[in-house]
Amino acid sequence: METPSGESAPSLPGFVEAFRHSAPYINAFRGRTFVVCFGGEAVADADFPALVHDLALLHSLGVRLVLVHGARPQIEAQLAQHGVEPAYHGGLRITDSAALTCVIQAAGRVRTEIEARLSTGLAHSPMAGMAIRVVSGNFVTARPAGIREGVDLRHTGEVRRIADDALTASLDAGAMALLGPLGYSPTGEVFNLFAEEVAARTAVALEADKLIFLGEGEAGTGARELTVEEATVAAGESAGEVRRTLTAAADACRAGVHRVHLLDRRRDGVLVEELFTRDGAGTLVSRERFEGVRPATIDDVGGILELIAPLEAEGVLVRRDREQLETTIDDFAVIERDGAIIGSAALHAFPGDRVGEVACVAVDPDYRGQGRGDGLLDYLLRRARSQGLQRLVVLTTRTGHWFRERGFEPADLDALPMDRRALYNFQRGSRVLARDLA
């Protein structure tokens, strides 16, 4: 089978599975505003058309896109061509009149290249039948960066204001907006800006749902997730593009952008993989953890039931109906990952005996073997100690070794609180394990 572009389609079962899993994200992103920032390196790369196709895909799915491009390699090429020696101070380019001419020429060429790519609509291509309107303009008001340690940075500037009303009107009209590393002052001057700052300030002004940086690596951290505080620390330990990106990500989160994605643009399909799969493909910066253990609420009952249903069918867990879960939900803790419940566990306390029963420990099969079960158990241990419990017990038919590796020892039925002992299912024949709390 071939696709409309004439390419071979992926195997049907794998494609159907992936497409079904992407449905919740497609629904969630429709009508949302994303700001996507990439450097001139991406535009100069031979694989840039593939990135354009992915951006066009987002647009076709109803995502409101603002693209922010850089032009560093193109500026360097223009400077060399005109015999202008690059000058820097404190990591900032000193943009004199000759350098500004090169910056304007380079940024204009990059913008034209992007607009041309987004205008492609040839038959038998991934953008066949598309008619994307791209809007560029003087959306960024800038001011001079000024004099730093006695050095005048001339036409190097900082973002002063984003014309969010005009940008919103363009997005409302169905256009894709394109901003570059240039800003303009009320006095008619042009300033050379960092694309990362333009992107962050634009995301904040538009109250964007996501800010996405497509860089030359995963911001140099290798981490899957960073809090604002962690990103700030990492920025202080970095330099160059990595430092600017991490600083911009942290600043944007502090100012209200909920999620910032740091992606390696050299990875084919990274944008689609990050946005339409649960695990993503880069580093997420957010004010709150993307994944974590927390107390369960009544809204989690459906997710827990879905998680434990396969284990109940196998006989690993005792069957629980919705009513049972609802009445004991305060005993549960869950691991939530991007809105999905991927782990659960319960601590049923018997205060009179100072004993707690660990129950219903379950982790989604896709996330096992990565320490999440230990995270749940550690959470229950802390909860048990805070409740003044002195001992934990667990009833198990198949996971005894896992609990024994974590300090539980075989025990007899007398280890169970009297109320729990009366409910013991002799037909099931569960082993009793116990662990004293220090």
Side-chain angles (χ1 to χ4, degrees), residues 21-34 58 61-64 209-210 259 275-276 338-339:
H21 285 172
S22 69
Y25 300 100
I26 294 173
N27 292 327
F29 295 157
R30 187 177 297 111
R32 303 292 186 176
T33 300
F34 295 178
L58 291 181
L61 293 174
V63 177
R64 296 152 59 91
D209 298 277
K210 290 184 184 293
R259 291 184 176 178
L275 294 176
F276 296 101
D338 196 22

Side-chain angles (χ1 to χ4, degrees), residues 50-51 54 212-215 218 261-277 280-283:
L51 174 58
D54 290 345
I212 302 168
F213 289 102
L214 291 161
E218 293 185 13
H261 303 258
L262 313 179
L263 309 180
D264 184 350
R265 61 95 187 164
R266 299 167 297 182
R267 180 171 173 174
D268 184 36
V270 67
L271 189 60
V272 173
E273 186 178 356
E274 174 71 4
L275 294 176
F276 296 101
T277 64
T283 299

